[in-house]
Amino acid sequence: MEPHFHTRTLRPHGSGSSDPYCLVKVDDEVVARTATVWRSLSPFWGEEYTVHLPLDFHHLAFYVLDEDTVGHDDVIGKISLSKEAIMADPRGIDSWINLSRVNPDAEVQGEVRLAVRLLQDVHGRCLRCHLLQARDLAPRDMSGTSDPFARIFWGSQSLESSIIKKTRFPHWDEVLELREVPGSPTPLRVELWDWDMVGKNDFLGMVEFPAQILQHKPPDGWFRLQPFPSAEEDCGGSLGALRLKVRLAEDRVLPSQYYRPLMALLLESVRGSPEEDTASPLAVLEELTSGDCRQDLATKLVKLFLGQGLAGPFLDYLTRREVARTTDPNTLFRSNSLASKAVEQFMKLVGMRYLHEVLKPVLNRVFEEKKYMELDPGKMDLGRARRISFKGMPSEEQVRETSLGLLTGYLGLIVDAVVSSAGRCPPTMRLAFRRLRQCVEEHFPATEHEDVKYLAVSGFLFLRFFAPAILTPKLFDLRDQHADPQTSRSLLLLAKAVQSIGNLGQQLGQGKELWMAPLHPFLLQSVARVRDFLDQLVDVQEDEEAGGPARALVPPSVTVREGFLLKRKEESGGLAARFAFKKRYFRLSGETLSYAKGPEGQVPTSIPVSHICAVERVDEGAFQLPHVMQVVTQDSAGMLHTTYLQCKNVNDLNQWLSALRKASAPNQDKLAACHPGAFRGGRWTCCLQAERSAAGCSRTHAAVTLGDWSDPLDPDAEAQMVYRQLLLGRDQLRLTVLEEPNPDAASEADTGQGPCSEALARQRAAAAHLLEVLEDLDHAHEKFQWQGQGKVALGCRGP
């Protein structure tokens, strides 16, 4: 699922403007938070999240809030989309939707467990409702908990349960009985409420069962709570509107053994001759995929081959096919082909740390200094630029000269950082670029094409990696917030200049942006340095990549995430639990999660990653604190230990969850359930059990919640998406390969004569094998379609 955000004309708050941000919730769980756009009624976020959803999710909600640095944030409005509404159009949702008011009675969450029976005796029928428990109820009190009780209604009869104080996981285990009154059959309604000593009770949710269900299949199990039935109020745009692009793809992922034949074919594809290949899965995928699906497919394929240690041969296969088809070197890799998208996604998957090391110091300086820079006379604001001059209003020429000095200063820092970074670039990236350059050199050996081998590499590294990260650093996790308009314009000028350097200055002086001319001398001077850098970058040994699957998703010695978190003291008790969290600097590698008082100078305390058996969120009510997670470890004696950590916001929480789950993915003894609360005051805050060793009351999660670049490899889900894409071309494959339309070619193949007969026979055999593998997967899906096991796999990316 990929939501994309933009809003227009929000209702102003306070001073006549708002500081809006958007929360994304799947059912009752916040999974993402956009950046805050300060002082705006028409914010643009442009943020995209890929969210892994459970099969049984019900709705997706988007809340637009006004951030308040003092007090509580104000809710401006929300949009709620049901699973059915999202899936109604296979292309997803792409439209403006008016915000609706937020009704507290509609903001329900959680589930209730019931066992209902209809009994018959001499006095008539009796309904027996066994109210067992509830979980994950909405917090209605200041303590972050509730005081829940239940009301059941059957016809004109009603009963109430006892009140369970201060919990979101109440256990009643009460039997409530109601006698049937004369008249037509009536439904059963169970309502949950939060009891308040002063004022009215707060609604927590309800479930309702029609009379037919009660008679033929009495409810017995867990049931999700629903709001009071009422249509959402469309405020006609008075609260503003939110533009969303949302696409949902639901699919069943089979057990691993069913994908092994397809995986074998995919891996075999990259070992053959790419130029002659027409019937392998990769060749078919390249012909099939259109622009709106290529990016997501490219990501899945890159992750799949990375997990097998064959990312280099895979990229070499795709780039060689594209180079072989290219006659004009000026068009090489300029389209959004599968090869271009695959290399782009490969850089983002393996090179994000390298990108941060190169660009983050310079970009932080641009954000902090907030210098006014402008070269375009049509966009120059002399009033805004006045502060750069102490002699009154500056002239256009003064602004241009000052801006030129600032731009060349920042560009000099960027170029210096880039050209000195060859040794820090990941070896897999350097090797991929070496193979790419060799391929281009072989295909375009003429002297007049000397620059093509440089442009092929710089086109990816500068135009598709460095320049986009400079333009939108928030989307590459280089900044926590989007830039303000002035800084955004400065970043645009810097990105344009970096693009020109990546083009080796070949297009300078062309086009409509002649006002960039003052920068040309600096850009041309930088080109020679970039050429030397590209020569160093590809000067790497041609090491063989491992052919087997990667055993660990995180390299042992590489730090994959670090930063300050608040850590709870071990065994902290008392009434001041929320003040028992101390600031510590954490580093996560494939071997350890270590922490100390600061980034340097102290001997850190280490937690072995191999000991981690669960990484989960913690209820806010456990410590009256948001964004808390727990890392559960098991020592050699089998004892469980829990470390509680607080993150700065929901996105930071999601990214730490993702990184920790990825690092601990190979661990065997994972917990199936844990406690979302904390053990305080002699009991668990979530389920009120009095034993510290009591079994967990909530299931654990193995997958990440956000589709950031730290997502773990999931070869089964990746293979499932490849299978679905191949199904789209099955008929075309039969027609073009197995049923040769050319009689002469078919005759030659039948007689075994002619130069193409052997190649054609190999293509037909490969196509037949691929069709056989797809047929077997079809049968496997039919076998499993009525079973409840599976998980959601993401489909094509939204436009």
Side-chain angles (χ1 to χ4, degrees):
M1 185 279 299
E2 298 93 359
H4 197 81
F5 307 101
H6 184 44
T7 61
R8 62 183 178 194
T9 321
L10 298 177
R11 180 186 64 193
H13 281 235
S15 61
S17 65
S18 291
D19 301 320
Y21 66 92
C22 186
L23 287 179
V24 186
K25 292 181 71 176
V26 175
D27 290 337
D28 311 319
E29 183 178 18
V30 176
V31 297
R33 181 197 193 278
T34 67
T36 300
V37 180
W38 303 104
R39 297 180 299 282
S40 174
L41 292 179
S42 298
F44 175 81
W45 286 290
E47 298 185 21
E48 187 172 294
Y49 296 101
T50 300
V51 183
H52 295 253
L53 304 173
L55 284 173
D56 58 350
F57 95 99
H58 289 76
H59 64 272
L60 187 68
F62 302 84
Y63 292 78
V64 180
L65 297 94
D66 176 41
E67 183 163 329
D68 190 349
T69 55
V70 180
H72 293 288
D73 297 346
D74 297 317
V75 180
I76 299 174
K78 77 164 187 175
I79 293 168
S80 184
L81 302 174
S82 68
K83 180 179 181 179
E84 293 72 23
I86 300 172
M87 297 185 68
D89 189 333
R91 296 171 298 179
I93 294 173
D94 181 1
S95 64
W96 287 96
I97 305 175
N98 290 336
L99 295 173
S100 299
R101 287 191 173 89
V102 175
N103 176 8
D105 287 343
E107 300 303 298
V108 304
Q109 67 181 60
E111 298 172 295
V112 62
R113 186 181 176 190
L114 304 168
V116 179
R117 295 179 63 190
L118 275 178
L119 305 175
Q120 184 78 38
D121 58 23
V122 294
H123 301 290
R125 290 206 303 177
C126 169
L127 184 142
R128 176 176 294 175
C129 179
H130 189 180
L131 176 67
L132 293 157
Q133 62 187 112
R135 62 189 178 192
D136 198 29
L137 299 180
R140 298 298 195 200
D141 297 336
M142 293 295 292
S143 63
T145 61
S146 292
D147 303 321
F149 70 94
R151 291 175 181 160
I152 67 170
F153 299 85
W154 194 41
S156 60
Q157 311 295 307
S158 66
L159 284 175
E160 289 188 1
S161 73
S162 60
I163 300 169
I164 309 293
K165 296 291 187 69
K166 297 188 181 303
T167 181
R168 294 172 53 220
F169 293 79
H171 284 250
W172 287 286
D173 199 14
E174 296 182 22
V175 177
L176 305 175
E177 293 187 352
L178 297 171
R179 285 283 172 184
E180 186 178 38
V181 298
S184 58
T186 56
L188 168 68
R189 187 170 78 251
V190 179
E191 298 176 357
L192 298 190
W193 292 81
D194 167 52
W195 176 81
D196 282 335
M197 181 179 294
V198 179
K200 67 175 186 176
N201 298 329
D202 298 313
F203 179 68
L204 292 172
M206 59 164 282
V207 290
E208 190 169 64
F209 306 98
Q212 290 183 334
I213 294 294
L214 296 178
Q215 292 175 1
H216 301 294
K217 191 178 180 182
D220 185 356
W222 285 99
F223 302 95
R224 179 170 292 278
L225 296 172
Q226 303 295 328
F228 276 126
S230 60
E232 280 196 3
E233 178 188 0
D234 187 335
C235 298
S238 63
L239 298 180
L242 181 67
R243 183 174 182 189
L244 297 170
K245 293 183 180 181
V246 181
R247 176 173 291 185
L248 174 70
E250 187 175 22
D251 210 344
R252 184 174 304 280
V253 179
L254 301 176
S256 299
Q257 65 265 26
Y258 291 94
Y259 297 108
R260 286 171 188 156
L262 178 58
M263 290 284 289
L265 280 180
L266 286 168
L267 300 181
E268 187 63 31
S269 296
V270 302
R271 297 188 175 101
S273 173
E275 294 85 359
E276 299 176 1
D277 187 9
T278 61
S280 75
L282 286 179
V284 174
L285 287 169
E286 190 177 26
E287 295 299 323
L288 281 177
T289 50
S290 55
D292 59 346
C293 287
R294 277 182 185 148
Q295 183 164 317
D296 200 48
L297 177 63
T299 302
K300 294 293 187 292
L301 287 171
V302 169
K303 290 172 70 174
L304 191 150
F305 280 93
L306 270 174
Q308 298 295 322
L310 292 171
F314 164 66
L315 295 177
D316 190 44
Y317 171 91
L318 290 181
T319 54
R320 283 187 176 276
R321 284 177 65 85
E322 179 149 344
V323 169
R325 293 193 298 262
T326 303
T327 56
D328 183 359
N330 294 319
T331 64
L332 186 61
F333 300 120
R334 297 294 174 162
S335 65
N336 288 325
S337 63
L338 186 60
S340 298
K341 286 296 182 184
V343 177
E344 183 178 332
Q345 296 307 308
F346 169 75
M347 291 190 296
K348 291 175 179 177
L349 282 165
V350 304
M352 290 297 283
R353 181 179 175 85
Y354 166 64
L355 180 79
H356 282 219
E357 290 177 354
V358 172
L359 293 182
K360 198 165 188 175
V362 185
L363 292 182
N364 285 344
R365 183 168 168 179
V366 174
F367 272 80
E368 291 161 6
E369 294 180 353
K370 294 185 180 297
K371 301 290 188 181
Y372 180 80
M373 297 179 285
E374 186 56 73
L375 296 179
D376 186 355
K379 296 184 180 296
M380 204 170 284
D381 185 346
L382 300 182
R384 182 175 292 181
R386 183 172 184 175
R387 60 184 176 182
I388 68 176
S389 172
F390 296 99
K391 300 179 181 179
M393 187 75 72
S395 65
E396 280 191 13
E397 186 60 31
Q398 288 175 316
V399 173
R400 187 179 296 109
E401 288 180 5
T402 304
S403 298
L404 181 62
L406 291 169
L407 281 169
T408 53
Y410 289 131
L411 280 172
L413 294 174
I414 292 174
V415 173
D416 288 345
V418 170
V419 300
S420 62
S421 69
R424 288 175 287 164
C425 185
T428 52
M429 279 182 63
R430 298 181 67 182
L431 185 56
F433 287 140
R434 174 187 172 90
R435 290 172 173 170
L436 172 61
R437 174 163 159 167
Q438 287 175 340
C439 176
V440 173
E441 276 188 299
E442 292 169 4
H443 194 73
F444 297 103
T447 306
E448 63 266 25
H449 296 150
E450 175 67 22
D451 282 341
V452 179
K453 64 182 181 183
Y454 292 105
L455 288 168
V457 177
S458 66
F460 284 115
L461 196 59
F462 284 81
L463 276 63
R464 293 178 182 260
F465 200 44
F466 290 143
I470 293 170
L471 183 63
T472 53
K474 170 67 174 64
L475 302 186
F476 288 77
D477 202 27
L478 286 161
R479 297 288 298 183
D480 291 332
Q481 303 288 346
H482 287 295
D484 58 69
Q486 178 177 315
T487 305
S488 181
R489 178 62 182 173
S490 300
L491 295 176
L492 175 62
L493 294 173
L494 291 171
K496 285 179 177 292
V498 169
Q499 281 185 323
S500 297
I501 294 173
N503 282 322
L504 305 184
Q506 288 192 354
Q507 299 177 5
L508 292 181
Q510 302 177 19
K512 299 179 181 179
E513 297 177 344
L514 299 179
W515 45 266
M516 291 281 286
L519 273 177
H520 290 179
F522 175 85
L523 300 181
L524 290 172
Q525 183 182 3
S526 301
V527 168
R529 301 179 65 196
V530 168
R531 286 174 184 269
D532 292 339
F533 160 69
L534 295 175
D535 287 333
Q536 296 173 29
L537 189 69
V538 300
D539 185 14
V540 60
Q541 293 298 320
E542 186 81 21
D543 294 329
E544 285 293 323
E545 293 182 86
R551 295 187 177 276
L553 305 179
V554 174
S557 60
V558 174
T559 300
V560 293
R561 189 161 185 85
E562 59 185 314
F564 280 104
L565 297 171
L566 296 179
K567 178 186 177 295
R568 184 181 182 235
K569 289 182 178 178
E570 296 292 337
E571 305 298 333
S572 179
L575 297 177
R578 65 177 298 169
F579 301 107
F581 284 78
K582 299 297 182 183
K583 191 174 184 179
R584 296 291 183 264
Y585 194 84
F586 280 79
R587 281 192 177 91
L588 173 67
S589 71
E591 292 180 334
T592 61
L593 174 65
S594 60
Y595 59 92
K597 288 186 177 180
E600 299 175 356
Q602 295 88 20
V603 177
T605 302
S606 295
I607 300 172
V609 166
S610 59
H611 291 185
I612 296 176
C613 50
V615 182
E616 294 296 320
R617 297 167 182 259
V618 175
D619 291 335
E620 290 190 14
F623 304 107
Q624 287 77 55
L625 290 171
H627 319 311
V628 177
M629 66 178 176
Q630 56 181 313
V631 181
V632 184
T633 56
Q634 188 173 39
D635 61 24
S636 57
M639 296 292 294
L640 296 179
H641 305 272
T642 304
T643 303
Y644 295 99
L645 306 171
Q646 187 189 20
C647 305
K648 60 184 177 181
N649 55 46
V650 69
N651 286 355
D652 192 42
L653 170 63
N654 281 332
Q655 289 162 4
W656 271 105
L657 287 172
S658 173
L660 283 163
R661 288 170 181 168
K662 178 182 178 183
S664 59
N667 297 354
Q668 298 298 317
D669 298 325
K670 298 288 187 63
L671 295 179
C674 72
H675 293 279
F679 193 80
R680 291 174 50 203
R683 64 180 184 177
W684 288 100
T685 59
C686 48
C687 57
L688 305 183
Q689 296 185 79
E691 296 292 331
R692 179 183 288 273
S693 59
C697 59
S698 181
R699 67 182 178 87
T700 56
H701 304 77
V704 295
T705 51
L706 277 184
D708 59 12
W709 305 119
S710 300
D711 270 358
L713 307 176
D714 189 347
D716 295 340
E718 291 145 15
Q720 173 64 17
M721 187 204 175
V722 170
Y723 157 69
R724 287 297 182 196
Q725 287 293 312
L726 288 170
L727 285 184
L728 301 177
R730 180 160 52 180
D731 292 339
Q732 177 183 338
L733 185 64
R734 286 176 178 147
L735 288 173
T736 58
V737 179
L738 296 185
E739 299 178 13
E740 177 61 55
N742 185 337
D744 295 334
S747 176
E748 287 184 356
D750 292 337
T751 60
Q753 298 176 355
C756 299
S757 59
E758 188 176 344
L760 183 59
R762 287 198 304 268
Q763 292 169 12
R764 287 188 171 186
H769 191 183
L770 175 56
L771 290 170
E772 183 181 342
V773 168
L774 297 179
E775 185 86 11
D776 290 342
L777 277 169
D778 278 347
H779 293 324
H781 275 278
E782 291 173 4
K783 174 183 175 181
F784 280 88
Q785 69 178 358
W786 300 113
Q787 298 186 14
Q789 299 176 349
K791 51 187 172 181
V792 171
L794 298 180
C796 297
R797 182 180 289 264

